[in-house]
Amino acid sequence: MADRPRVRFAPSPTGYLHIGGARTALFNWLWARQRKGTFILRIEDTDLARSTVESQQVIVDAMKWLGLDWDEGPEVEGPHRPYYQSQRLNKYQEYAKRLIAKGAAYVCTCSKAELDRLREQAAKEKRAFRYPGTCRDKGIPFGAPGGVVRFRMPDGGETTFNDLVKGPITTQHKELQDEVILRADGLPLYNFGAVVDDVDMEITLVARGDDHVVNTPRQILMYRALDYPTPVFAHLPMILGADKQRLSKRHGAVSVLQYRDEGYLPGALLNYLARLGWSHGDQEIFSLEELIEKFDWEHVGATAGVFNPEKLLWLNQQWIKKTPVPELARHVAPLLAQRGVQVDPERLARVLPPIVERAKTLVEMADQARTFFERGVRFDEAAARKNLTPETRPLLALARELVARRIGEGPQALEQAFRELATQQGLGLGKLAQPVRVAVTGTTVSPPLFETLVLLGRDEALARIDAALARTGG
């Protein structure tokens, strides 16, 4: 294997960047970074009917959010530009002519009607259709009207390659047919376009989903025909939902940017995706630096991984706890801005520590932090109906008096004073604290109450308790 590998991630811009694609990109990126190699982002946009500029941008944005920077590709460029297949059509024609000149490919003008007739005949005879090579030796010139270019498959023999994940894989050439590599309109088919780009960009390792295993022997024959050293291959097993079916929209969020919007840290998602197909003992939590250092192909599993949203949520919570507050603030501030809340960075840095311990997502953190930057409070009606009642009014009044007198002493002293008051009233602390929590945050789920009161400050805390007292009917 090359000491300084050249690897690529080559998505089709026909939708968002999904979880499986992100894991493929991650494994390529980790290998390039570990071995001081080159990571190339290449956009395979020759499906003109489905490829969109919007999808291209979504893919680029998702890669940037994940932090998977590329050495060559869109917005970076490099010696092998352009990195969009739609801008490389002259390359595919050039390489197709090269194959034709050496007898490894030929022009075919068989009509669709003729091919359909042959397919129907094969179906009647209950055999797989295989193009019979009608135009193999006709010598039809390149550019003939309606002419496609077909690759000439060997008549006999076999192709074997050693997959880094799946081990040796052998394909008999009799199972292959002379497939179309260049359409009459000049657009390449997948196998040929990928090979030409890999040759042109000097790719040494191809890591991709295992749905491409069937393409690999065909591509190896094309690499050889172009006199290019065959890259090393690694085919990654697919990701399944909990029902063991291929991961899809019905399993929840599968777009990378959807996880960003739901409040996941990019490092947590990368950590989870790495562990979804690769292992390093029993270790679960990895920094990006650790992943780069420890990643290898030997411990990439050959069986499909099962996506577990609860495990990802747990991992995100662990990442939130270990992420420095200034970095968390950089993630939370835009979420607060989306909620119409402009924040002072210094105050946000003071507000976040009490929130960190319980928050599972950045969205939860933003929702809880919001209360510290607004005047007054929005009540969750169910929480208010249960906790702000005529029965709780006397407790709220006592709590207000206590807050007014003791808030300046800090959260620990305030908590002790609340405990003493609860004991005097013959209550547990929760019976006293919960109405106050709802009064000052609007909900029963909040950062620690006494830190919250101190962070709000005396005037705002008392104003909110007064508003809650008014709701109790006094």
Side-chain angles (χ1 to χ4, degrees), residues 203-225:
I203 299 301
T204 61
L205 181 144
V206 174
R208 58 190 176 186
D210 65 2
D211 51 333
H212 287 293
V213 166
V214 295
N215 294 318
T216 302
R218 298 167 168 83
Q219 293 182 345
I220 288 174
L221 291 169
M222 292 179 197
Y223 288 119
R224 290 173 179 168

Side-chain angles (χ1 to χ4, degrees), residues 102-398:
K102 65 186 302 186
Y106 57 92
V107 176
C108 169
T109 55
C110 292
S111 67
K112 182 178 183 300
E114 186 177 350
L115 294 172
D116 286 344
R117 181 182 62 77
L118 291 172
R119 284 192 184 90
E120 289 173 11
Q121 185 177 335
K124 286 178 185 174
E125 296 172 6
K126 297 183 178 177
R127 58 180 172 81
F129 169 71
R130 190 169 183 265
Y131 177 71
T134 308
C135 296
R136 261 189 171 195
D137 302 311
K138 288 185 177 180
I140 301 167
F142 184 85
V148 301
V149 179
R150 288 185 182 271
F151 184 78
R152 186 191 292 263
M153 292 292 176
D155 294 319
E158 62 185 27
T159 290
T160 298
F161 68 97
N162 188 50
D163 192 284
L164 292 181
V165 177
K166 296 177 176 295
I169 297 176
T170 298
T171 301
Q172 301 298 320
H173 293 157
K174 65 182 180 182
E175 299 172 11
L176 309 176
Q177 64 169 324
D178 291 1
E179 65 180 62
V180 176
I181 59 174
L182 196 68
R183 294 183 353 192
D185 59 6
L187 290 174
L189 275 292
Y190 168 74
N191 281 331
F192 185 57
V195 166
V196 168
D197 292 343
D198 287 346
V199 170
D200 206 49
M201 296 176 189
E202 304 175 62
I203 299 301
T204 61
L205 181 144
V206 174
R208 58 190 176 186
D210 65 2
D211 51 333
H212 287 293
V213 166
V214 295
N215 294 318
T216 302
R218 298 167 168 83
Q219 293 182 345
I220 288 174
L221 291 169
M222 292 179 197
Y223 288 119
R224 290 173 179 168
L226 291 169
D227 300 317
Y228 185 74
T230 304
V232 177
F233 289 92
H235 289 93
L236 312 176
M238 67 177 61
I239 299 174
L240 306 179
D243 57 1
K244 303 300 171 64
Q245 300 299 307
R246 187 166 188 161
L247 196 66
S248 67
K249 289 182 180 178
R250 71 176 182 277
H251 296 107
V254 289
S255 161
V256 165
L257 291 182
Q258 190 170 336
Y259 286 99
R260 176 197 65 184
D261 297 342
E262 290 180 0
Y264 288 81
L265 285 164
L269 184 57
L270 291 175
N271 186 166
Y272 181 74
L273 290 177
R275 286 291 288 110
L276 195 55
W278 167 84
S279 61
H280 186 78
D282 295 328
Q283 186 173 345
E284 292 284 351
I285 300 173
F286 293 84
S287 68
L288 213 49
E289 292 74 23
E290 285 179 303
L291 288 175
I292 291 171
E293 177 194 346
K294 299 179 187 302
F295 179 77
D296 60 2
W297 294 106
E298 287 79 6
H299 292 92
V300 173
T303 56
V306 177
F307 189 80
N308 183 336
E310 290 77 22
K311 181 70 173 289
L312 172 58
L313 190 61
W314 173 83
L315 198 58
N316 196 57
Q317 186 174 22
Q318 306 312 306
W319 266 76
I320 284 174
K321 289 178 182 178
K322 78 182 191 71
T323 299
V325 168
E327 186 178 336
L328 285 176
R330 286 196 297 274
H331 287 289
V332 172
L335 296 175
L336 286 165
Q338 289 172 14
R339 290 155 175 75
V341 180
Q342 298 303 316
V343 300
D344 167 36
E346 288 186 15
R347 180 164 172 76
L348 183 58
R350 292 198 303 274
V351 162
L352 290 182
I355 296 174
V356 163
E357 199 59 33
R358 301 180 190 177
K360 294 179 179 178
T361 70
L362 298 170
V363 168
E364 284 182 17
M365 294 186 73
D367 288 340
Q368 292 188 22
R370 181 177 188 167
T371 192
F372 296 102
F373 296 93
E374 297 177 319
R375 308 293 291 181
V377 66
R378 281 182 299 252
F379 291 106
D380 175 87
E381 286 304 318
R385 280 195 302 271
K386 181 177 179 181
N387 292 279
L388 305 181
T389 65
E391 289 74 26
T392 62
R393 178 178 171 78
L395 290 176
L396 268 178
L398 290 170

